[in-house]
Amino acid sequence: MNTTANGNDSKKFKGDLRGPNVPSRVLHIRKLPIDITETEVISLGLPFGDVTNLLMLKAKNQAFLEMNSEEAAQNMVGYYSTVMPIIRQQPVFVQFSNHKELKTDNSPNQERAQAALRALSSSHVDTAALVVAPSSVLRVVVENLLYPVSLDALCQIFSKFGTVLRIIVFTKNNQFQALLQYAEGASAQAAKVSLDGQNIYNGCCTLRISFSKLTTLNVKYNNDKSRDFTRPDLPSGDGQPTMEHQAMATAFGPGIISASPYTGATHAFPPAFALQPVSSPYAGLTMSGLPGTLASLTLPAGARLGFPAIPAGHSVVLVSNLNAERVTPHCLFILFGVYGDVMRVKILFNKKENALVQMSDSTQAQLAMSHLNGQRLHGRPLRITLSKHTSVQLPREGHEDQGLTKDYSSSPLHRFKKPGSKNYSNIFPPSATLHLSNIPPSVVEDDLKMLFSSSGAVVKAFKFFQKDHKMALIQMGSVEEAIECLIQLHNHDLGENHHLRVSFSKSSI
């Protein structure tokens, strides 16, 4: 079977409409607007990795996009299966292609595609610069506001694309607007591509998204109008809703949207995710609370896209499918500690493949769920859901539980104790590349390579930071190996009163 797509034989593309489930680095994009540009198609793929080839079939309103790796293509399909991308107010469909690579000819209709590809991907640096959006701050206007939209509702929707650091909602020129700051420009770009033009509710509450000229948001209060997730210590200030919001809430009255699960939220917004007993390969979590365009979106099991905001006060997650032979409270404390301060861990006595992890607040529980669900630990993919428990109980005095329950509330290893810690803006999904810091001058490259190899992992690459040899990047053989190394070697004593700090990196070597 020929698995190479060629630009001069469009008959070969009929098979792709069946929607293959077999991953490929070639993606089939359908239902494109008739006036689509090559740059717009390429921009769909850039937040996920380098685009290596493009084949435009404008007569069929289709295109084929080749990514630099199968992993990048899988991430892209994962994103766009949860929130359909909108280009010029038209939904676009993204799926894996039957073809494993693209070969484009020199026909006139392909020359523009290749020129656009060269312009955007002329070098690795240029592509990286393009992925970093003009700003990590988005300006969001909600048009046709028939139903109230709260700050928490926007956080639910936008947190699918990365870590939301700050958000401010306000009314200007009789329009409900928001400014929303991500930890990374790439997250802002992905959110803009996917959500611009989407309706929050059927036929109304349309999102119009642009990049803000601001580079950061200055938030003074944590309430229903503004929130800084890196500063939980901020006062609530005057949390009363504005007159426009009060009037709107009164006009619609109860019943349109269910009671608010959020403490202090001005407007109610239903819980967005419900577990569904689905047996498809994309069995996972379905957005049941949102009518309209955002309602029928399914999060594939294993996708790390960010879950919606968890109701305030719920900071305990249930972790299942653990390797009962190898898992320990300490191992879960270190891994979950990448995404927040872990207070307590309890491995269930009669079901040791299950554990409860209590984070310090609901935002951190959300981050841990979104980044770790589906990741492999000790050979098994983690399944993480919100627990019905609001806290983890310690064993009663005199009752020994074989060390399965641990209290870490006063641990010196918490990464986020300091308000406004820069660690908040360095939260990334698990990756094969690890960021190392706090390296003493006497420790050289071979020492670190040997240390990481001694855990049984494969070291594929290593690089010290040019300006500062206190930090380095190390690339492991796989994401699973990197997770194991982080658990084993974070806080490892390197001598000279230096304990190694390990975290996941967004960079590659």
Side-chain angles (χ1 to χ4, degrees), residues 261-263 310-314 362:
Y262 305 105
T263 306
I310 292 170
H314 285 260
S362 58

Side-chain angles (χ1 to χ4, degrees), residues 135 138 170 203 233 242 258 336 384 394 399 404 420:
S135 169
L138 294 177
F170 56 95
D233 58 315
T242 60
S258 66
F336 280 73
I384 307 173
L394 294 173
H399 288 72
L404 297 176

Side-chain angles (χ1 to χ4, degrees), residues 27 63 99 213 288-289 304 326 394 410 417 420 443-444 474 494:
L27 299 163
H99 304 288
K213 292 178 181 176
S288 60
R304 280 81 63 191
R326 297 184 60 188
L394 294 173
S410 57
K417 279 188 299 189
V443 172
V444 297
I474 189 166
L494 293 173

Side-chain angles (χ1 to χ4, degrees), residues 198-456:
Q198 290 274 19
N199 293 333
I200 298 176
Y201 297 105
N202 241 346
C204 66
C205 299
T206 306
L207 297 170
R208 300 293 179 208
I209 304 171
S210 57
F211 289 110
S212 170
K213 292 178 181 176
L214 299 171
T215 55
T216 188
L217 297 180
N218 183 22
V219 174
K220 295 180 180 178
Y221 302 109
N222 283 338
N223 54 37
D224 58 316
K225 291 181 288 188
S226 62
R227 198 82 50 85
D228 186 336
F229 294 104
T230 71
R231 294 285 308 279
D233 58 315
L234 288 177
S236 61
D238 177 14
Q240 294 302 309
T242 60
M243 288 304 292
E244 295 98 318
H245 291 177
Q246 283 178 328
M248 190 164 60
T250 306
F252 285 106
I256 288 177
I257 303 177
S258 66
S260 171
Y262 305 105
T263 306
T266 317
H267 307 306
F269 197 82
F273 280 90
L275 283 169
Q276 300 290 327
V278 188
S279 58
S280 75
Y282 278 162
L285 300 159
T286 302
M287 290 186 77
S288 60
L290 296 172
T293 313
L294 295 178
S296 59
L297 308 171
T298 301
L299 185 65
R304 280 81 63 191
L305 302 179
F307 286 67
I310 292 170
H314 285 260
S315 57
V316 181
V317 295
L318 172 64
V319 188
S320 55
N321 201 37
L322 291 163
N323 185 330
E325 302 296 319
R326 297 184 60 188
V327 71
T328 63
H330 177 77
C331 141
L332 295 175
F333 166 67
I334 295 295
L335 179 58
F336 280 73
V338 173
Y339 300 103
D341 294 337
V342 177
M343 297 292 106
R344 291 174 180 176
V345 177
K346 183 185 192 74
I347 295 174
L348 304 191
F349 185 80
N350 293 322
K351 294 182 178 177
K352 291 188 174 63
E353 67 275 7
N354 297 295
L356 296 172
V357 178
Q358 181 179 340
M359 311 297 288
S360 70
D361 62 43
S362 58
T363 303
Q364 294 181 0
Q366 171 188 335
L367 285 170
M369 281 174 66
S370 66
H371 287 300
L372 293 176
N373 183 56
Q375 294 287 0
R376 295 180 72 83
L377 175 64
H378 305 320
R380 303 180 67 168
L382 298 176
R383 296 283 172 259
I384 307 173
T385 56
L386 181 61
S387 170
K388 63 183 179 182
H389 300 285
T390 54
S391 65
V392 170
Q393 299 299 315
L394 294 173
R396 293 194 301 276
E397 198 170 340
H399 288 72
E400 178 56 51
D401 76 341
Q402 300 177 0
L404 297 176
T405 306
K406 294 284 186 183
D407 186 342
Y408 295 101
S409 54
S410 57
S411 171
L413 295 186
H414 287 163
R415 297 178 188 239
F416 305 98
K417 279 188 299 189
K418 194 184 297 182
S421 165
K422 66 179 181 181
N423 288 338
Y424 274 102
S425 52
N426 289 318
I427 291 176
F428 304 110
S431 63
T433 306
L434 296 169
H435 180 277
L436 312 180
S437 59
N438 204 32
I439 302 167
S442 61
V443 172
V444 297
E445 178 176 331
D446 284 346
D447 297 330
L448 291 165
K449 284 165 121 176
M450 192 176 297
L451 175 65
F452 279 76
S453 299
S454 66
S455 65

